[in-house]
Amino acid sequence: MRSQMSIALRILLGAACLAPLALSATTATAAPDPAATAPAPRERPRNVIFVLVDDLRYDGMGFLQPGLLKTPNIDRMAKEGTYFPNAVVTSSLCSPSRATILTGQTARNHGIVDNNNGSENALVFFPKYLQEVGYQTAFFGKWHMGASTDAPRPGFDKWVSFKGQGNYWPARAATPESSPDLNVDGKAVPQKGYITDELTDYAMNWLSKERDPKRPFFLYLSHKGVHSDPLPPPRYAHQYDDAKFTLPASAANTPENNAGKPVWVLNQRNSWHGIDFFYNADVPMTEYLKYYYGTLSAIDDSLGRIMAYLRKNHLEKDTLVVFTSDNGFQVGEHGLIDKRNAYEASVRVPLVVWEPGTVPAGKVNPGRIRNLDFAPTFLDLAGVQRPPQFEGSSAWKLWEGKLAPADWKPGDFTYEYYWEYNFPMTPGTFAIERDRVKYIQYYGVWDTDELYDLRNDPEEMHNLVNDPKWDAKKQELRHALYAQLANSEGKHVIPYGMRESIGAVRRDVNGTHAADFPASWYVKPNPTDRFDQIIGDTPAKLKAHAEGKPLIYTPPLADELKRQVDGRSK
């Protein structure tokens, strides 16, 4: 898959040679001279169209898998714009990620920490600030912060949405989390057809007939696709019948792949979110992907319709289009599927940015962009003052090509996922990446943490957490992670929702059974360093262990009790 992506990037750039996807700053075009490229003064602020796909993995675009995937409109957008291969999300789950995009805040501050909690009390969505400077704003599609309501939200002049996850085709009946209707500006309107096409119809109607052409606009098109269970429209139902999809090498249940991985990872492969029993069904992932990418083709059509409208109406040089996903999607990496965890295929997302004449064409920019950075970027390009609660950074100068990737200082990438009862197989997860070294820790579980050198191990196959050579870096990242996970009040709080069921705990009766703990955890009674594991990994402790000594020598418990009791009795 990586070789396919390398070839695709060469095609995209028209270059004779290009390094693999783990790009350095030298692969992107240097920042142009601002004086030579400064555009003429704009008569009005630029328009923005933000296209959000659900669960699209980072390499799920035709130009990254040529000869296999068919996404001509996404590919053209990348050829005419800039592709960002290092885009990530700070929480890889629908509701928390969407809330981060809309509020410019992390989950620990906006409070939407799972897919059950729909509380939006006191949250301010960034389109409200655009409204205040004259923008027309419109939302079409999946909102999904809990499933409680599809009502219009503050900050949007036009509203078309649905309850919960929505339906690819009109539902037959209403349920507590679903409806056969769309909410159109506060009124229930029956869904008529395939959701991707229908949402695009609404968006196109607003662009062409409803908005005021004298005012700038912000359009947020939030697709249901390609979320499970993906259903392509009839025109793409058999598009990939003959396609041969392959799983990542780490999907195989082998000692080499499992070495160093936490017990929860080994146990998850035979579960709802594991490659061996995913969604508790027996459809092979190689077959599932045919539906997944057939569903993406309808989204590609939608993007094509939007771009054609902009070109026909001479709006392409006045409109920024951003194409991305709310989280990544694993298709077998480490035996896992879906998202939630901190592995690369879960946290990385596609990102293509397009505005001819402003955004450099045909470029690959390695600058890391978080979903946390979208809100400040959109307000920056509109000339809106940054609100104090925003936590991200504006990437506008980077997107324009006026800031070289080497001068873009995104800082650490900090990740947070809070355990939810529905899918208890994934523990609470915190992670930090600094200088291409990623440290992952898990909250409240009896398991190992992880450390990866992503420069030399981009597939995260070699856990270095117990390698003495990495002890100092591990401790550095532990301290940095804890400091950065403090909320806006400086507190470290683990939010959680109400548990309403046992969750998806089933396993294939003929599949693998529970995994064993690491061999190094099994010791004979009365080790002489009994207390050392309880004590923090201080330099003194690490030095003692490197010399093969305990930090605190502990004799056998029976001997110590007898000694102390006998001593006191005397």
Side-chain angles (χ1 to χ4, degrees), residues 68-81:
L68 182 63
L69 301 187
K70 300 175 177 63
T71 57
N73 294 298
I74 300 172
D75 295 356
R76 179 177 177 182
M77 181 182 179
K79 187 175 181 180
E80 297 175 355

Side-chain angles (χ1 to χ4, degrees), residues 434-503:
R434 172 182 289 180
D435 301 327
R436 297 299 290 153
V437 177
K438 181 192 289 185
Y439 168 69
I440 312 172
Q441 64 178 213
Y442 302 103
Y443 181 82
V445 293
W446 187 6
D447 220 326
T448 186
D449 46 7
E450 299 175 84
L451 185 76
Y452 296 103
D453 175 8
L454 296 177
R455 282 194 180 91
N456 298 306
D457 181 22
E459 307 297 330
E460 299 168 299
M461 297 302 297
H462 306 290
N463 186 3
L464 303 171
V465 77
N466 292 321
D467 187 335
K469 292 183 294 185
W470 290 85
D471 280 340
K473 190 66 174 180
K474 174 175 64 179
Q475 284 301 91
E476 171 193 327
L477 293 179
R478 277 177 172 168
H479 287 281
L481 177 61
Y482 182 76
Q484 293 181 30
L485 284 174
N487 64 19
S488 58
E489 298 177 351
K491 298 179 180 179
H492 290 83
V493 180
I494 304 295
Y496 65 96
M498 176 181 173
R499 184 166 197 160
E500 298 187 31
S501 75
I502 193 62

Side-chain angles (χ1 to χ4, degrees), residues 248-285:
S250 64
N253 189 5
T254 65
E256 294 78 13
N257 285 342
N258 295 338
K261 286 292 180 286
V263 172
W264 77 263
V265 172
L266 306 182
N267 280 329
Q268 191 174 114
R269 68 176 302 124
N270 181 15
S271 77
W272 183 273
H273 286 149
I275 191 63
D276 292 348
F277 197 36
F278 75 89
Y279 304 149
N280 290 174
D282 58 358
V283 176
M285 178 58 74

Side-chain angles (χ1 to χ4, degrees), residues 325-387:
S325 178
D326 61 345
N327 41 250
F329 192 82
Q330 298 164 122
V331 295
E333 284 86 354
H334 314 299
L336 310 180
I337 68 112
D338 207 75
K339 58 258 185 186
R340 290 174 169 80
N341 59 68
Y343 293 133
E344 290 290 275
S346 173
V347 301
R348 291 177 59 191
V349 293
L351 176 59
V352 182
V353 179
W354 177 92
E355 185 184 331
T358 300
V359 174
K363 303 300 179 184
V364 176
N365 190 315
R368 184 172 64 219
I369 306 295
R370 305 163 296 177
N371 56 344
L372 192 64
D373 300 324
F374 288 130
T377 301
F378 294 143
L379 295 198
D380 186 15
L381 66 85
V384 179
Q385 186 174 358
R386 176 192 174 94

Side-chain angles (χ1 to χ4, degrees), residues 135-148:
Y135 272 78
Q136 302 165 92
T137 60
F139 183 88
F140 302 94
K142 179 179 176 180
W143 182 259
H144 194 222
M145 292 186 200
S148 56

